[in-house]
Amino acid sequence: MEFKLKEGLLIGTATAATQIEGGDENNNWARFAAQGKVDDGTTPVRADDHYRRWKEDIDLMAEMGLQIYRFGVEWSRIEPSRNNFSQEALSHYRTEIEYMVSKGIKPMLTLHHFTNPLWFEDMGGWTQDEAVDIFLNFCNQVLDSMGDLVEDYITINEPNIYSTNSLFYGIWPPEKKSIAALAKSYTNMTRAHIAAYKLIHEKRLSMGKKRDETRVSFANHLRIFEPKNKGNLWHRFSAWLSEYLFQTAITHSMMTGQSRLPVLSLKGVEPGRYYDFIGINYYSRSTCSGIGDGVREGCDKNDLDWEIYHEGLIRLCQKLSATYGEEYPIFITENGTCDNSDSFRPRFIYDQLKLISETENRIQRYYHWSFTDNFEWREGEAARFGIVHVDYETQKRTVKESGKLITAIIRNQGVTKADYAKFVENSHYHK
Ligand code: BGC
């Protein structure tokens, strides 16, 4: 064996509704695409046509031996106009969940993953205070319709990426550049997460489920921030400040209900522990010489020029466990890489899982991002993250070598010498 998989680690993939489903024009990203704002001119209205091909996709997932699956429901389909809920959409998702469960795949449901229904977006989206109640009303319907089938929940995906890209850098809809809007969005998302956390638990208890049969958290995008030059005071300060503004404050506020600026006052929220597991989406490290990103010179990079830095994930796990409790399991709710030709993804998966298996950490689940290639937001169809290739013209799915490697890892509970030679040996990163 090249390495033995960490005992009990469950492996699967993660997706988001808007990125794979296709067919829905009622959300802010479909409109953004229609305005010609996606770099390669594509639209999530096409994507992977998963809303119609869901059965084929779940069958493939099962054939590949995947054990867990994190997926999202599309808010704009379920609530196409305010307070008007589509029974068709709700029962569609219920049927899909029943099917994955029947195939032995454990579902994790995401309630919000970057996209908003147009009516919600045009009322002010997450910057309006009413957002919390509106979102809760939607969660309520989802829980009533399929809550009995699902034990694991993500309330909100990456509040920091959503809020900074949409409202601070202005590169995602609604293209605002305002620190006040950013603070509002952080605050409302924190309130929404905490309220949804409570609601999900209450609902599931009322369905006769035991408290520990329900696990709720949020998918927190965490990065490593480091100064470009450790001897430079400004670089050091900017790394600290970027980390604080991007992740430290929002993480603390969402997990504990105690606000840290730029999250504004959470008056009325009881301090507590609003997570049953620590959910981490991990991709890369930022090398700072000013506020925001930067990439270290000479490092291994993916096809979007993000540094590949596997140790970062372990460092973050250790830090989060120390801060938020060793007793909480860690679920890697996303980890993956943009590799358009699947030339280094096998090595990426090998290196990351080997490190997870051979270091001290509380990781219990690994959701690789992503199952199929999909609509990668601003980059559109051009950036491929899947372990299954999608030909967008024909919608044909083809399992990549990285997908075959994951199947072999689950089957053998590690990487054998033969699989290393077959999948990893000739797979190399580029600079
Ligand atoms: C998001 C995904 C995205 C992935 C790769 C994460 O930030 O949750 O929606 O596709 O990263 O960029």
Side-chain angles (χ1 to χ4, degrees):
M1 276 296 221
E2 286 293 325
F3 78 84
K4 206 173 146 326
L5 195 67
K6 187 186 185 75
E7 216 184 307
L9 181 70
L10 296 181
I11 297 182
T13 58
T15 62
T18 315
Q19 290 180 271
I20 60 170
E21 285 184 351
D24 176 49
E25 297 186 17
N26 192 28
N27 67 68
N28 56 337
W29 269 91
R31 178 168 67 189
F32 196 61
Q35 290 165 344
K37 303 256 171 87
V38 171
D39 294 347
D40 66 355
T42 57
T43 162
V45 179
R46 174 157 88 169
D48 295 340
D49 196 26
H50 172 81
Y51 200 71
R52 289 192 302 185
R53 293 168 195 259
W54 62 270
K55 202 160 184 213
E56 174 194 334
D57 285 342
I58 303 292
D59 281 340
L60 181 56
M61 232 176 251
E63 264 167 47
M64 290 172 73
L66 300 174
Q67 300 161 305
I68 48 179
Y69 179 40
R70 175 180 165 222
F71 66 98
V73 290
E74 177 66 57
W75 185 2
S76 59
R77 273 188 202 279
I78 292 180
E79 195 176 357
S81 56
R82 190 171 179 184
N83 248 326
N84 156 31
F85 290 93
S86 157
Q87 290 313 315
E88 184 278 321
L90 289 165
S91 68
H92 172 101
Y93 290 117
R94 187 171 173 92
T95 310
E96 182 172 350
I97 297 168
E98 278 170 345
Y99 192 67
M100 71 182 85
V101 172
S102 79
K103 290 273 171 181
I105 299 168
K106 191 170 177 53
M108 169 183 273
L109 191 154
T110 306
L111 287 154
H112 187 271
H113 195 129
F114 294 161
T115 36
N116 298 322
L118 285 178
W119 59 265
F120 176 79
E121 180 86 341
D122 292 340
M123 285 171 70
W126 286 94
T127 60
Q128 62 189 317
D129 291 341
E130 233 191 314
V132 181
D133 288 340
I134 295 174
F135 178 65
L136 223 61
N137 191 30
F138 157 70
C139 295
N140 203 38
Q141 290 289 330
V142 173
L143 263 289
D144 279 348
S145 305
M146 57 203 92
D148 57 322
L149 300 175
V150 181
E151 295 189 340
D152 302 325
Y153 295 86
I154 291 297
T155 55
I156 297 181
N157 181 71
E158 301 189 342
N160 53 356
I161 291 279
Y162 170 84
S163 305
T164 50
N165 282 350
S166 307
L167 303 164
F168 182 69
Y169 294 119
I171 53 174
W172 284 8
E175 299 180 284
K176 274 209 175 126
K177 292 185 182 173
S178 151
I179 185 93
L182 174 75
K184 271 281 184 200
S185 173
Y186 268 7
T187 310
N188 289 331
M189 284 193 151
T190 301
R191 284 183 176 279
H193 161 68
I194 292 172
Y197 176 92
K198 292 184 186 158
L199 176 90
I200 296 167
H201 275 293
E202 274 162 26
K203 286 263 166 198
R204 294 260 310 161
L205 282 174
S206 75
M207 290 169 183
K209 310 289 179 189
K210 297 198 197 82
R211 179 73 170 66
D212 63 2
E213 283 173 344
T214 307
R215 284 169 294 270
V216 187
S217 195
F218 64 104
N220 198 3
H221 182 112
L222 296 177
R223 311 173 66 82
I224 295 284
F225 288 89
E226 249 148 26
K228 183 171 180 192
N229 171 353
K230 286 200 170 80
N232 181 316
L233 254 184
W234 167 243
H235 291 188
R236 277 182 16 213
F237 175 72
S238 58
W240 175 84
L241 189 64
S242 301
E243 180 173 1
Y244 178 81
L245 290 175
F246 181 74
Q247 67 195 29
T248 314
I250 180 92
T251 298
H252 192 79
S253 309
M254 292 194 52
M255 293 183 88
T256 68
Q258 292 167 301
S259 66
R260 295 278 182 277
L261 280 173
V263 178
L264 308 170
S265 159
L266 296 177
K267 210 161 156 244
V269 172
E270 282 270 302
R273 296 240 158 177
Y274 296 109
Y275 53 97
D276 304 309
F277 58 89
I278 297 173
I280 300 180
N281 290 2
Y282 176 73
Y283 287 93
S284 190
R285 156 162 75 179
S286 296
T287 298
C288 305
S289 52
I291 299 304
D293 274 346
V295 180
R296 206 167 58 89
E297 272 165 38
C299 64
D300 295 328
K301 290 185 203 155
N302 75 9
D303 288 349
L304 289 173
D305 282 344
W306 302 353
E307 179 178 356
I308 295 171
Y309 177 55
H310 298 291
E311 292 77 10
L313 177 62
I314 307 302
R315 288 172 58 189
L316 287 164
C317 289
Q318 285 159 353
K319 193 168 173 181
L320 272 270
S321 284
T323 315
Y324 295 105
E326 300 282 346
E327 67 275 32
Y328 291 94
I330 298 178
F331 294 176
I332 304 309
T333 37
E334 282 181 31
N335 173 251
T337 197
C338 178
D339 173 8
N340 295 326
S341 53
D342 206 49
S343 61
F344 59 86
R345 187 177 290 103
R347 178 164 295 279
F348 181 97
I349 291 169
Y350 173 86
D351 284 344
Q352 190 67 77
L353 287 177
K354 184 169 194 291
L355 205 61
I356 290 175
S357 300
E358 295 180 348
T359 55
E360 186 62 34
N361 59 69
R362 307 273 305 151
I363 300 174
Q364 291 187 1
R365 307 245 188 115
Y366 178 81
Y367 295 86
H368 189 80
W369 184 273
S370 185
F371 180 56
T372 39
D373 292 329
N374 57 54
F375 177 81
E376 175 56 26
W377 309 116
R378 190 97 206 195
E379 284 80 21
E381 291 171 0
R384 294 181 180 267
F385 278 80
I387 56 170
V388 173
H389 178 271
V390 173
D391 175 331
Y392 290 102
E393 292 296 331
T394 61
Q395 290 296 341
K396 186 172 167 8
R397 276 79 163 134
T398 310
V399 179
K400 301 181 189 180
E401 291 302 288
S402 53
K404 294 180 188 160
L405 172 63
I406 288 206
T407 297
I409 294 177
I410 298 171
R411 188 190 327 110
N412 302 322
Q413 288 296 291
V415 174
T416 62
K417 293 231 176 283
D419 285 337
Y420 182 84
K422 189 169 172 197
F423 297 112
V424 190
E425 205 160 52
N426 298 317
S427 171
H428 299 291
Y429 300 131
H430 55 70
K431 300 278 174 203

